[in-house]
Amino acid sequence: MRSTMIGLLRPLLVVCASLLLLLLLLPGAHSRIPRYTNGFHYQDIGNGNGNGEIYFNGVRLLVESPQPSVSATRGSSVTLPCHYHYEPEPTAPRRTRVKWSWLPANTVGAPASAENVVTETEVMVAMGNRHLSYGSFRGRVRLRRSAPGDMSLVINELQLNDTGRYRCEVIDGVEDESVTVDLELRGVVFPYYSQTGRYHFNFYEAQQVCQDQDATLATFEQLFTAWEDGLDWCNAGWLADGTVQYPITVPRDGCGGVDLDPGLRSYGQRHRLLHRYDAFCFSASVKGTVYFLKHLTKLNFTEAVQACARDGSQIAKVGQLFSAWRLMGLDRCDAGWLADGSVRYPITKARANCGPPEPGVRSFGFPPLFLKFGVYCYR
Ligand SMILES: *[C@@H]1O[C@H](CO)[C@@H](O)[C@H](O)[C@H]1NC(C)=O
Ligand SMILES: *[C@@H]1O[C@H](CO)[C@@H](O)[C@H](O)[C@H]1NC(C)=O
């Protein structure tokens, strides 16, 4: 994907380079070439002196962020830093406008296509003390304004789908400068397959099953991070950008072969309606608790659902169990029913008689519903 972007940018770079060369070759043009900074260098036209003359002041607008990426937890508040100032400091206050916009995570770096329109959407615009927020950000965002020029964006009640690249743009007159800040959520990626077996979901069904488990389809970045953390899974699954991939840490036959380096194996973009795979879901619930219900006897699935309800909670979803395992360290060597009819248990400290020697959420798949196990509830 990145190589296509570079491919598109290359002609542009060549044009820019030629222009720069042309300017350098023009006699006396040196003073007009701005130094390369992230700030826009412009000429400010001051008030005339009445004789038809105009003062020119070189003032530079600089927009900066000390953190190019920020990671946070779902449901919490996060601050995306952004500051601007002028060099030199202007004598009179200027009218600046600030616009925060957003490129959702599943579109960052993705090729544009009819189904996958890569556009930045507006999050908030502010001018003076007035501001407007948009879409799902309405009422959830504000500017921090802890000091002059502080345009940091505060987002409350972070949602799973808030991840992506945010752009802080300061607009002064007709010119503007911007920086970007990437927002990531701390969470966990888990493969998800159908009760009826492997490779049953088209893209839209994969989106739905992740949502049903209190999760979303994972982005490429999230799966990549999970792979770096050791995720190895030899079944291909949908990602949020419409590609199908799978993570391999130990190359082997049947999983791309032994000649390929460890990494993400990609089938590229697949047909969203016609092609069927598993799903990679991303979950990051931190609100609420997942617990193994204390109960005297083992339960079939119907009894398990009722037992959680009697305890004032609900039978836990797969995404909630994975989050509790990953983010809260839930460790329990007892198999329990989950809402989708699967039976699993979470192990953070691997030990004898509790599955393989690595930590993980162990799965018994989808046993017949009359079989008896414990149950994990969520409150
Ligand atoms: C993000 O998720 C929330 C809650 O699940 C939903 O209401 C909202 O519409 C979603 N936003 C986008 C842009 O998909
Ligand atoms: C679970 O057991 C109850 C009796 O306690 C029974 O009524 C119910 O049908 C059983 N459910 C399943 C799925 O076997």
Side-chain angles (χ1 to χ4, degrees):
M1 294 170 204
R2 290 198 173 121
S3 56
T4 16
M5 293 256 315
I6 291 166
L8 289 172
L9 283 173
R10 192 170 293 139
L12 198 65
L13 289 174
V14 171
V15 171
C16 289
S18 325
L19 276 177
L20 198 65
L21 195 66
L22 192 66
L23 279 173
L24 283 166
L25 292 174
L26 284 174
H30 291 73
S31 57
R32 273 189 268 146
I33 300 167
R35 270 183 302 140
Y36 179 77
T37 64
N38 79 338
F40 181 75
H41 196 108
Y42 66 95
Q43 300 293 331
D44 181 45
I45 304 176
N47 293 322
N49 64 359
N51 301 327
E53 288 170 23
I54 289 170
Y55 301 109
F56 287 91
N57 301 314
V59 175
R60 206 166 70 209
L61 168 63
L62 286 148
V63 179
E64 292 160 333
S65 177
Q67 266 174 291
S69 82
V70 170
S71 109
T73 51
R74 181 183 184 185
S76 67
S77 295
V78 71
T79 302
L80 307 181
C82 172
H83 309 265
Y84 78 89
H85 69 278
Y86 290 98
E87 281 179 5
E89 217 37 64
T91 43
R94 284 163 178 271
R95 282 171 72 82
T96 47
R97 207 151 59 83
V98 174
K99 182 172 115 184
W100 276 94
S101 52
W102 173 60
L103 202 55
N106 57 357
T107 55
V108 174
S113 72
E115 286 172 304
N116 201 355
V117 186
V118 180
T119 45
E120 289 191 340
T121 32
E122 290 191 342
V123 172
M124 147 177 279
V125 287
M127 192 168 160
N129 289 323
R130 298 187 6 239
H131 65 259
L132 275 177
S133 50
Y134 299 94
S136 59
F137 294 99
R138 193 168 292 154
R140 278 199 302 140
V141 288
R142 64 181 176 84
L143 294 181
R144 184 171 60 180
R145 295 187 192 277
S146 65
D150 179 12
M151 295 297 149
S152 304
L153 183 73
V154 180
I155 310 176
N156 296 316
E157 284 290 317
L158 271 183
Q159 299 170 359
L160 281 176
N161 55 11
D162 286 341
T163 57
R165 178 159 297 170
Y166 288 75
R167 180 179 298 281
C168 170
E169 190 173 5
V170 179
I171 302 148
D172 175 344
V174 289
E175 304 302 345
D176 62 291
E177 256 314 308
S178 67
V179 285
T180 59
V181 183
D182 288 348
L183 174 63
E184 291 160 14
L185 281 189
R186 282 191 287 276
V188 56
V189 171
F190 60 94
Y192 194 80
Y193 55 90
S194 161
Q195 267 194 53
T196 41
R198 163 178 125 141
Y199 293 176
H200 272 266
F201 306 134
N202 69 24
F203 176 77
Y204 302 101
E205 288 160 354
Q207 267 184 329
Q208 186 60 48
V209 293
C210 288
Q211 211 172 313
D212 293 345
Q213 299 314 315
D214 198 24
T216 57
L217 272 182
T219 64
F220 172 81
E221 300 296 335
Q222 287 162 351
L223 184 64
F224 189 82
T225 307
W227 168 77
E228 286 180 314
D229 290 346
L231 184 65
D232 184 289
W233 192 256
C234 196
N235 290 330
W238 288 103
L239 296 184
D241 61 3
T243 62
V244 170
Q245 320 207 14
Y246 62 99
I248 292 298
T249 50
V250 185
R252 55 195 184 275
D253 285 331
C255 311
V258 284
D259 296 334
L260 276 180
D261 286 336
L264 298 188
R265 313 274 191 250
S266 179
Y267 294 172
Q269 296 275 337
R270 306 265 76 192
H271 195 288
R272 293 182 183 213
L273 268 177
L274 300 181
H275 291 148
R276 292 183 175 272
Y277 295 95
D278 293 345
F280 284 104
C281 305
F282 175 80
S283 166
S285 329
V286 284
K287 291 198 165 168
T289 334
V290 174
Y291 60 97
F292 185 81
L293 186 70
K294 286 194 188 73
H295 200 272
L296 289 174
T297 57
K298 300 248 164 123
L299 310 159
N300 69 26
F301 180 71
T302 339
E303 294 163 339
V305 172
Q306 290 163 353
C308 285
R310 271 201 305 278
D311 207 42
S313 39
Q314 285 181 326
I315 185 166
K317 296 174 175 174
V318 178
Q320 292 163 345
L321 184 70
F322 269 92
S323 292
W325 164 71
R326 188 60 197 244
L327 303 171
M328 316 288 211
L330 185 67
D331 182 295
R332 180 90 201 192
C333 198
D334 287 300
W337 287 107
L338 295 175
D340 65 341
S342 63
V343 169
R344 306 176 197 240
Y345 64 95
I347 294 295
T348 47
K349 289 185 213 80
R351 53 196 180 272
N353 303 321
C354 301
E358 308 86 34
V361 173
R362 324 297 195 204
S363 176
F364 286 80
F366 298 89
L369 300 177
F370 60 81
L371 289 188
K372 304 219 165 192
F373 295 97
V375 60
Y376 288 93
C377 308
Y378 173 79
R379 174 160 58 207

